[in-house]
């Protein structure tokens, strides 16, 4: 520990999405630790490396930043560490500036600010291979001369792609001695001068061939104010159709596997409490949620592909006008898009928004985006109550309903944001400026790794939270046992039945029966657990099979269509995820905002479910 503390400290600094973290991982491997900076929720990554010459180096991965002005929490932490103003954090001895070779202009503006700090620096020109494929030729020697620092091309995602950088660290370390600097925030005039200087250096050192014209031609279509929006909506519609159509075979296979497991358990175990625990508690609880893994992976497949291709930034650009109309900052699109996977990274991604009120507005509406945890509930109810038929040239009705549920979440998020920014805070949204990345072909390795990580996260969740809650639900549905001579179903005497019947009156106006009420309680911890809870409740009460199709058939016969529609409306708004509330508290550093979020979302959920149930009941006679 003392050897590492006395080692030379090097900080990696660069703009967001420049490949800095990939370079950090390539340099340090598993020799790293992750925590948060004291007093804030910004992630701190530190690792160590041994150079080819045997020198021990401490490496710090600073948060991504566009400037040293500290307009967001991430930028403020990066600035304070480099200025030696972060309490408990020693200033680094040198900087490795990481630049995306395909997007050099954005980095040059940052570099001109960093140069004023008088740090010894090395420029790691990352993604150099992608830049070459796109027809971008960079004069390395000229760039090094213009910037006054060594420039080393790197490919962080390839084996051996950092060897030249390690040799450069060995060469430069003996000369690395920082000179003190009196840094001051740049004025508007300074920023304009830096912009002109960055453009001058770019013209001298970087040359683009035919691929640049190709990118421009694609952008002319994809960024068109009308055609571009239509293409974006078509892509979203395709995604939701694929969630149903592409995942169906794999879902059927998983369902059959759990059917076989349940049948085997019934044959091997004698009838009684143990058999019920295994089949109704564990297999029913886990299987009824795990069956939706293919749909979640299909959703992530599209998200990762579009991110890698470079389309997500274009989507944010297209949505800027809509974001501004709702009073949100244009950068809010990316956190909201992340929330389709899970609200937690969406809430954390709001750190890139500089203004505190804009950031809070984005955080408060992020959970209204339809996260992947809602997919099991939506799919169960849509499959049970919406006919599997095609409309208008092969468009699936079930996929259309799913698209409508996602659209309802998006529209409600924009309306809530507009209410907060126009009535509560009365603040005009700031203009949105962003650099569009170059188009890149997605790497199969990155795609597979991303899907593997998402699947692993879901399986770990299934093996911990969902398993624990499924076992708890079985216990609540089984005990206490009914008294001797009892005539009602056994579950009516259980703890779950008692709780459900006690709260049923409050939920009756929105069409919920006591079984739904029981399922909502563990669903507070994780939305998707509600499906396993329903499987457990109905398996205990009716002794039916645990297969997904059996649960769908049971709900279709025991629930009315208005009840199913009401529950769908409830799940569009309900804040049933304690982890999200905990992250909101951490990000806002206050209990006020998670309480505000929980209250307004619960009120919206009840109002939407009430209106849906009452109106659909009237319409259906």
């Amino acid at each position: 520990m003392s050897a590492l503390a006395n080692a030379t400290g090097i900080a990696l600094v660069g703009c967001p999405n420049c490949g800095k973290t990939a370079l950090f991982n390539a340099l340090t491997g598993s020799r790293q630790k992750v925590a948060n900076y004291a007093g804030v929720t910004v992630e701190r990554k530190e690792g160590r490396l041994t150079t080819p010459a045997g020198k021990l180096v401490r490496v710090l991965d600073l948060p991504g930043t566009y400037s040293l002005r500290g307009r967001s929490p991430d930028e403020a932490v990066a600035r304070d560490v480099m200025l030696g103003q972060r309490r408990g954090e020693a200033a680094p001895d040198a900087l490795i500036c990481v630049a995306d070779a395909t997007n050099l202009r954005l980095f040059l503006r940052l570099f001109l600010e960093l140069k004023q700090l008088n740090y010894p620096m090395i420029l790691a020109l990352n993604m150099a291979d992608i830049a070459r494929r796109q027809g971008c030729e960079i004069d390395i020697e000229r760039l090094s001369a213009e910037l006054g620092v060594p420039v080393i091309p790197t490919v962080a995602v390839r084996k051996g792609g950092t060897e030249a950088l390690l040799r450069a660290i060995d060469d430069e370390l003996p000369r690395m001695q920082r000179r003190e600097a009196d840094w001051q925030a740049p004025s508007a005039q300074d920023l304009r001068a830096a912009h002109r200087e960055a453009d001058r250096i770019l013209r001298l050192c970087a040359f683009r061939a035919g691929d640049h014209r190709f990118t421009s031609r694609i952008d002319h279509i994809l960024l068109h104010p009308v055609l571009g929006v239509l293409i974006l909506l078509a892509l979203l519609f395709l995604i939701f159709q694929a969630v149903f159509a592409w995942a169906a075979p794999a879902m059927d296979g998983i369902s059959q596997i759990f059917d076989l497991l349940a049948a085997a358990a019934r044959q091997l175990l004698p009838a009684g409490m143990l058999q019920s625990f295994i089949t109704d508690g564990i297999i029913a609880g886990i299987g009824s949620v795990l069956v939706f893994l293919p749909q979640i992976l299909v959703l992530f497949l599209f998200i990762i592909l579009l991110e890698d291709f470079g389309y997500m930034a274009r989507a944010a650009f297209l949505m800027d006008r809509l974001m501004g109309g709702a009073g949100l900052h244009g950068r809010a699109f990316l956190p909201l898009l992340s929330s389709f996977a899970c609200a937690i990274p969406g809430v954390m991604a709001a750190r890139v928004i500089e203004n505190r009120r804009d950031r809070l507005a984005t955080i408060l509406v992020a959970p209204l985006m339809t996260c992947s945890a809602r997919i099991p509930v939506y799919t169960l109810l849509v499959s049970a109550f919406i006919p599997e038929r095609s409309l208008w040239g092969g468009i699936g009705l079930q996929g259309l309903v799913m698209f409508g549920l996602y659209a309802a979440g998006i529209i409600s998020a924009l309306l809530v944001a507009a209410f907060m920014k126009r009535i509560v805070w009365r603040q005009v949204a700031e203009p949105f400026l962003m650099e569009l990345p170059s188009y890149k072909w997605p790497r199969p390795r990155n795609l597979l790794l991303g899907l593997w990580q998402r699947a692993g996260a879901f399986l770990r969740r299934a093996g911990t939270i969902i398993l624990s809650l499924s076992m708890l639900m079985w216990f609540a549905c089984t005990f206490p046992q009914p008294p001797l001579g009892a005539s009602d179903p056994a579950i009516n005497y259980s703890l779950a039945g008692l709780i459900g019947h006690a709260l049923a009156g409050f939920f009756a106006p929105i069409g919920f029966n006591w079984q739904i009420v029981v399922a909502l309680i563990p669903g507070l911890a994780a939305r998707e657990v509600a499906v396993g809870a329903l499987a457990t409740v109905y398996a205990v009460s009716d002794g039916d099979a645990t297969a997904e199709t059996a649960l769908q058939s049971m709900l279709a016969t025991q629930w009315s269509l208005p009840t199913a529609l009401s529950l769908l409306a409830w799940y569009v708004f309900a804040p049933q995820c304690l982890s999200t509330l905990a992250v909101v508290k951490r990000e806002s550093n206050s209990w006020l905002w998670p309480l505000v979020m929980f209250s307004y979302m619960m009120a919206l959920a009840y109002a939407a479910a009430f209106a849906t149930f009452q109106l659909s009941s009237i319409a259906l006679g």
Side-chain angles (χ1 to χ4, degrees), residues 102-113:
T102 68
N103 195 7
L104 200 54
R105 177 183 283 106
L106 199 61
F107 165 78
L108 288 174
R109 299 171 193 167
L110 171 64
F111 179 85
L112 294 174
E113 284 193 68

Side-chain angles (χ1 to χ4, degrees), residues 33 84 133 254 264 302 379 390 509 526 546 566:
K33 59 181 180 179
R133 285 203 304 270
I254 294 174
F302 279 94
T379 303
S390 299
T546 60
S566 175

Side-chain angles (χ1 to χ4, degrees), residues 473-482 489-501 514 518 540:
M473 271 303 303
W474 174 85
F475 181 86
C477 291
T478 305
F479 298 99
Q481 293 282 294
I491 195 171
N492 285 357
Y493 302 95
S494 69
L495 179 61
L498 294 174
I499 294 174
H501 286 298
W514 69 266
V518 170
V540 170

Side-chain angles (χ1 to χ4, degrees), residues 215-291:
T215 297
S216 299
R217 287 196 295 268
I218 296 178
D219 280 345
H220 184 71
I221 298 173
L222 295 183
L223 298 182
H224 190 276
V226 176
L227 184 59
V229 172
L230 293 177
I231 292 174
L232 174 60
L233 293 176
L235 277 173
L236 293 175
F237 187 78
L238 172 65
I239 291 172
F240 303 133
Q241 289 288 318
V243 163
F244 266 94
W246 294 7
M251 292 178 67
D252 291 340
I254 294 174
S255 181
Q256 291 173 5
I257 290 173
F258 278 90
D259 285 346
L260 293 174
L261 288 175
R266 290 192 182 94
Q267 289 180 352
L268 295 174
L269 299 173
M273 201 66 68
L274 180 60
Q275 185 195 88
S276 174
F277 175 71
I278 297 297
T279 58
D280 300 331
I282 296 179
I283 296 178
I286 298 295
S288 58
V289 176
L290 205 60
V291 72

